[in-house]
Amino acid sequence: MPEEGYRVVIGLEARQILVLALISVLVLPLLSTVLAQPQEGCPPALSKMFEVYSNARERLLKAAKRYGLEDEARKAVEKADALVKEAKRLAEEGECREAWSKLKEALNTLKEIARKLRQLAQENIEKKIKEAIERVKTFLDKLKKAVKRLEDAGYPVDTIKALIVKAEAKLKEAEKALNEGKLREAAQKVREAATLARDAAKALRDLLLKVKKEKLAERVGKIISTIESRLKKLREKNPELADEIEKAIRPLIEDLKRAAEAGDMGKVRSILRKILETARSIVKSRRGE
């Protein structure tokens, strides 16, 4: 069964979301607090905000390139850079309140692009989660068909069926979380469903291997019975020839049993050919005497 059927790769775009968090959650509230302070002297937080701006603009440009908003983002950054340059000049001249105002304007300029990027990132995440859900569903459907055939044949499949049911329940939880906009929760539920599907696939493979070994052992057992039956008939006509053949092929028959127990069909075929060739060689040599 293809591993990609249950493998789930979901990028949560953490860097892109962090851009907005830096701007809308960290920066603006701090700006509001500092703007309310007395004008005398520039607080240490001002230089810190210049660093925050520098980090935010770099992350923003990387995210914009990823989502095809590079040109629009560069224009916004150029405008914001000019405002920051002016803010630094004002700060050097001791005009801290005006510097903060310019810096706030610069950050607001970035915030508009960040909002667009967050929307694109969210849409991309939702798309990936939906695709992942469908992949796992498709894989589970294939598993159920294989399990049904084994169940109809009388093999025990309750464990596999239970894993499939749990995986399907996780997918329903993922769909519910996705509809509610809980993307991280939805992604986690899909991963859990994929893990359960993988466990079910492994259990199915183990069962199929067991079935394969049982069938091969049964088939080889019949072949050995046929060989022994023919040797018995041959012994009635030519005991010496039968004894010679049996003595020569007995080790091969033991090897045949072990190969069957291991489920090694290739080795079983190879040993059967050796048994046949050995018997024919003995008969031919006897005829030549």
Side-chain angles (χ1 to χ4, degrees):
M1 294 185 183
E3 185 176 330
E4 58 269 20
Y6 55 77
R7 181 182 298 139
V8 181
V9 180
I10 302 171
L12 290 179
E13 314 300 338
R15 291 184 180 179
Q16 289 77 354
I17 295 173
L18 180 59
V19 171
L20 186 63
L22 280 169
I23 296 170
S24 62
V25 178
L26 173 62
V27 178
L28 296 182
L30 184 55
L31 279 172
S32 299
T33 301
V34 178
L35 284 171
Q37 294 179 357
Q39 188 172 349
E40 294 180 4
C42 293
L46 182 57
S47 59
K48 182 64 177 177
M49 284 301 97
F50 285 128
E51 292 179 17
V52 169
Y53 170 80
S54 179
N55 291 333
R57 75 185 291 282
E58 292 305 315
R59 291 192 177 101
L60 195 68
L61 288 171
K62 287 181 182 179
K65 185 175 182 180
R66 182 186 183 105
Y67 288 103
L69 287 178
E70 192 172 9
D71 291 341
E72 186 176 349
R74 286 198 176 280
K75 290 178 182 178
V77 167
E78 286 173 4
K79 180 181 177 181
D81 283 348
L83 290 166
V84 170
K85 184 178 180 181
E86 179 66 11
K88 288 180 178 180
R89 184 188 67 78
L90 290 167
E92 290 172 358
E93 295 176 358
E95 301 292 337
C96 299
R97 188 177 294 276
E98 289 77 4
W100 275 106
S101 180
K102 291 293 182 183
L103 183 54
K104 180 179 179 180
E105 189 178 346
L107 289 165
N108 277 329
T109 300
L110 296 189
K111 184 178 178 181
E112 294 304 314
I113 297 298
R115 281 174 176 164
K116 290 184 180 181
L117 286 171
R118 184 172 68 174
Q119 180 61 34
L120 288 172
Q122 181 169 324
E123 291 173 358
N124 188 52
I125 294 167
E126 290 175 352
K127 180 183 177 183
K128 286 183 177 181
I129 292 174
K130 287 178 181 177
E131 290 173 349
I133 288 172
E134 290 306 313
R135 285 200 301 273
V136 179
K137 278 185 178 180
T138 300
F139 186 66
L140 288 174
D141 286 341
K142 291 179 179 178
L143 284 181
K144 286 193 288 187
K145 289 177 182 178
V147 169
K148 182 66 166 61
R149 289 194 293 269
L150 287 171
E151 186 176 31
D152 291 344
Y155 290 98
V157 293
D158 289 346
T159 299
I160 304 172
K161 288 171 69 176
L163 288 168
I164 291 173
V165 169
K166 288 180 181 179
E168 289 176 329
K170 290 294 182 182
L171 288 182
K172 288 181 180 179
E173 291 176 11
E175 289 175 328
K176 182 176 182 294
L178 184 61
N179 292 333
E180 294 174 354
K182 300 175 182 177
L183 302 186
R184 290 184 183 276
E185 181 181 339
Q188 180 59 33
K189 295 299 181 182
V190 176
R191 291 190 187 100
E192 291 172 7
T195 297
L196 288 164
R198 183 173 62 242
D199 292 344
K202 182 181 182 303
L204 178 59
R205 284 196 297 270
D206 291 344
L207 180 57
L208 288 172
L209 180 59
K210 181 181 178 182
V211 171
K212 177 184 175 183
K213 287 181 178 179
E214 288 177 355
K215 288 186 175 180
L216 185 58
E218 182 181 354
R219 183 178 174 186
V220 167
K222 290 180 179 179
I223 292 172
I224 292 173
S225 295
T226 300
I227 292 172
E228 290 175 346
S229 177
R230 290 183 178 178
L231 281 172
K232 184 178 180 181
K233 290 182 179 179
L234 178 61
R235 186 169 283 105
E236 293 174 357
K237 298 178 180 179
N238 193 334
E240 290 183 4
L241 178 59
D243 289 343
E244 185 178 353
I245 293 174
E246 183 176 9
K247 183 178 180 180
I249 68 172
R250 180 54 58 187
L252 292 173
I253 288 177
E254 294 304 316
D255 289 343
L256 185 62
K257 290 178 180 178
R258 285 191 287 271
E261 289 173 359
D264 192 338
M265 176 61 80
K267 195 167 184 179
V268 165
R269 289 171 178 166
S270 175
I271 294 170
L272 284 173
R273 283 196 294 270
K274 287 182 181 179
I275 290 173
L276 183 59
E277 289 169 0
T278 299
R280 284 177 175 173
S281 177
I282 292 172
V283 171
K284 187 177 180 181
S285 64
R286 282 277 182 167
R287 287 175 179 173
E289 290 180 354

